[in-house]
């Protein structure tokens, strides 16, 4: 089964312009064209696009993605190098997750703070709950351990 650029655009929530740009960069090495010159995306092309979007979302540049795809096209002799690219991206995602979790803790703290402030009718939360001051310092003070 083949898909038009419009169908792929809707399926991946990408503009046709973006898909054409990716194709121009060589990110779809096997995309076919109809007799009238329109791009025809195969299931394999959609799989590539899924990988492209994953790598892009993890911070790999389009140049880096092209390098990865070129390695894949070269076959088995590049397995280790492609694995290293994936490991590097995985580490980056894990760092981002850690940072997001820390930010979530801070947001949860501030929500708790405002809930107590609402309950008290004032922002005098730390005087009435000194343990929150310790928690605030732990979360927001870079010099605290």
């Amino acid at each position: 089964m083949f898909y038009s650029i419009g169908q792929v655009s809707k399926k991946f929530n990408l503009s046709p312009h973006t898909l054409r740009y990716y194709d121009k960069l060589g990110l779809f090495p096997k995309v076919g064209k109809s007799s009238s010159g329109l791009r025809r995306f195969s299931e394999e092309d959609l799989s590539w696009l899924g990988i492209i979007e994953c790598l892009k979302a993890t911070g790999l540049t389009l140049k880096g993605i092209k390098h990865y795809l070129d390695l894949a096209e070269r076959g088995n002799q590049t397995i280790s190098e492609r694995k290293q690219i994936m490991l590097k991206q995985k580490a980056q995602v894990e760092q981002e997750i850690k940072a997001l979790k820390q930010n979530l803790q801070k947001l949860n703290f501030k929500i708790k703070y405002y809930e107590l402030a609402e309950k008290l009718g004032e922002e005098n939360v730390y005087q009435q709950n000194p343990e929150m001051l310790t928690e605030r310092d732990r979360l927001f003070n870079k010099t605290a351990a």
Side-chain angles (χ1 to χ4, degrees):
M1 178 170 193
F2 291 98
Y3 302 88
S4 70
I5 199 165
Q7 291 170 315
V8 175
S9 173
K10 286 179 185 172
K11 185 174 181 81
F12 285 86
N13 197 29
L14 294 168
S15 72
H17 173 76
T18 297
L19 293 169
R20 286 185 201 99
Y21 181 66
Y22 286 180
D23 190 27
K24 182 180 175 182
L25 292 177
L27 300 183
F28 300 120
K30 297 180 181 177
V31 75
K33 295 205 176 176
S34 68
S35 57
S36 59
L38 298 175
R39 289 170 182 84
R40 297 175 59 208
F41 293 85
S42 68
E43 293 291 337
E44 184 180 0
D45 295 323
L46 298 185
S47 291
W48 277 118
L49 185 53
I51 293 167
I52 290 166
E53 288 300 291
C54 171
L55 292 172
K56 188 173 142 204
T58 64
L60 194 61
T61 64
L62 290 176
K63 183 179 177 181
I65 293 169
K66 173 69 170 124
H67 175 67
Y68 171 80
L69 295 175
D70 289 344
L71 291 172
E73 286 291 305
R74 287 181 28 213
N76 293 338
Q77 70 268 21
T78 66
I79 289 172
S80 293
E81 194 172 349
R82 287 181 278 152
K83 177 184 167 192
Q84 289 305 311
I85 291 169
M86 292 299 162
L87 288 169
K88 181 180 175 191
Q89 292 312 112
K90 178 185 176 215
Q92 185 169 327
V93 168
E94 288 170 341
Q95 285 178 331
E96 290 173 12
I97 289 170
K98 181 180 177 185
L100 286 171
K101 283 181 178 180
Q102 290 170 345
N103 286 329
L104 181 59
Q105 286 180 335
K106 291 174 183 178
L107 291 171
N108 284 332
F109 172 84
K110 291 303 283 184
I111 291 166
K112 181 179 174 183
Y113 171 88
Y114 289 122
E115 286 172 347
L116 286 171
E118 280 181 331
K119 189 176 179 180
L120 295 170
E122 62 176 312
E123 290 194 59
N124 209 3
V125 173
Y126 300 127
Q127 287 180 344
Q128 303 220 12
N129 296 283
E131 70 280 355
M132 283 193 71
L133 189 56
T134 304
E135 181 70 1
R136 181 199 67 186
D137 290 344
R138 183 186 70 77
L139 290 171
F140 294 96
N141 187 347
K142 293 280 186 193
T143 59

